[in-house]
Amino acid sequence: MKKLKNFFSNLDIAGAAIAAVMLVIGILFIIFPQGLLKIVCYVSGAIVVIGGLTRAILGFKADTEVHAYDIITDIFIVAAGVLLIISPDFIAELVTVLLGLLLLVDSVLKLIDSRQAYKSGGEWIPGVVIGAVCAVLGIVIIFNPFATTRLLMVFVGISMVLDAVCSLAVYIYFAVRDGKEQPPRDNVTDI
């Protein structure tokens, strides 16, 4: 029980949770490539339209003065929601580009962490390898060499799964390693 507690105290919980969520989303993209994206677009579109209309109605009912920029903002919010609902394929391409950019940003962060690990004498090679793989996957997703959205969504899912598994492995490795480096608490004497 003490080892498990020590493991969780050394684990980057936030990073591991994000990696786990990316793993689940990646698996869902592999299993339901187009269906999942359309469902996300429809649900998001409905939420955005309802939010925009609610904002507009509450703005007109309020005793405060309604500004032109509030009306324009509400129109753009509702239009974005309608676009999500009526054109999920366009949004799918936009989302994949954003996911590709997310992978590129993640790869840069991994490379920065690896550089810091190198400077401090730590293990840096796994971070460089994972960062390079994420960068390549992100670039491939952004430039979309695939003929169909379905195939692209499967590739996005595989990329997300690979990134999440690599990230989880790194978080677990460092949590286990840091747990072994700490001296046993029983042998420490208080001064």
Side-chain angles (χ1 to χ4, degrees), residues 110-129:
K110 283 179 175 38
L111 292 172
I112 290 170
D113 288 344
S114 298
R115 184 172 182 257
Q116 290 173 346
Y118 175 76
K119 284 184 172 182
S120 66
E123 297 182 30
W124 56 276
I125 294 175
V128 169
V129 171

Side-chain angles (χ1 to χ4, degrees), residues 21 38 48 51 63 119 122-123 184 188:
V21 168
K38 285 186 178 182
V48 170
D63 291 335
K119 284 184 172 182
E123 297 182 30
V188 178

Side-chain angles (χ1 to χ4, degrees), residues 24-46 81 83-100 141 144 148-157 160:
V24 170
I25 292 172
I27 290 170
L28 289 175
F29 269 126
I30 292 169
I31 297 172
F32 309 109
Q34 285 182 305
L36 180 67
L37 192 57
K38 285 186 178 182
I39 289 170
V40 168
C41 286
Y42 294 146
V43 170
S44 300
L83 181 64
L84 279 167
I85 294 170
I86 64 172
S87 185
D89 292 330
F90 168 74
I91 301 301
E93 290 180 23
L94 183 64
V95 167
T96 54
V97 169
L98 292 176
L99 287 173
I141 288 171
N144 190 5
T148 66
T149 305
R150 175 178 157 60
L151 190 58
L152 179 62
M153 290 297 111
V154 171
F155 183 77
V156 167
M160 289 177 73

Side-chain angles (χ1 to χ4, degrees), residues 149-176:
T149 305
R150 175 178 157 60
L151 190 58
L152 179 62
M153 290 297 111
V154 171
F155 183 77
V156 167
I158 291 170
S159 299
M160 289 177 73
V161 167
L162 288 174
D163 181 42
V165 167
C166 290
S167 294
L168 281 172
V170 168
Y171 290 129
I172 291 170
Y173 170 78
F174 283 114
V176 169

Side-chain angles (χ1 to χ4, degrees), residues 1 9 18 25 32 36 45-46 52 54-55 61 73 79 82 84 91 102 133 137 150-151 158 163 171 177 184 189:
M1 189 69 166
S9 69
I18 291 169
I25 292 172
F32 309 109
L36 180 67
T54 303
R55 179 185 147 105
K61 283 189 171 186
T73 301
V82 169
L84 279 167
I91 301 301
L102 179 69
V133 169
L137 294 174
R150 175 178 157 60
L151 190 58
I158 291 170
D163 181 42
Y171 290 129
R177 186 196 72 181
T189 57

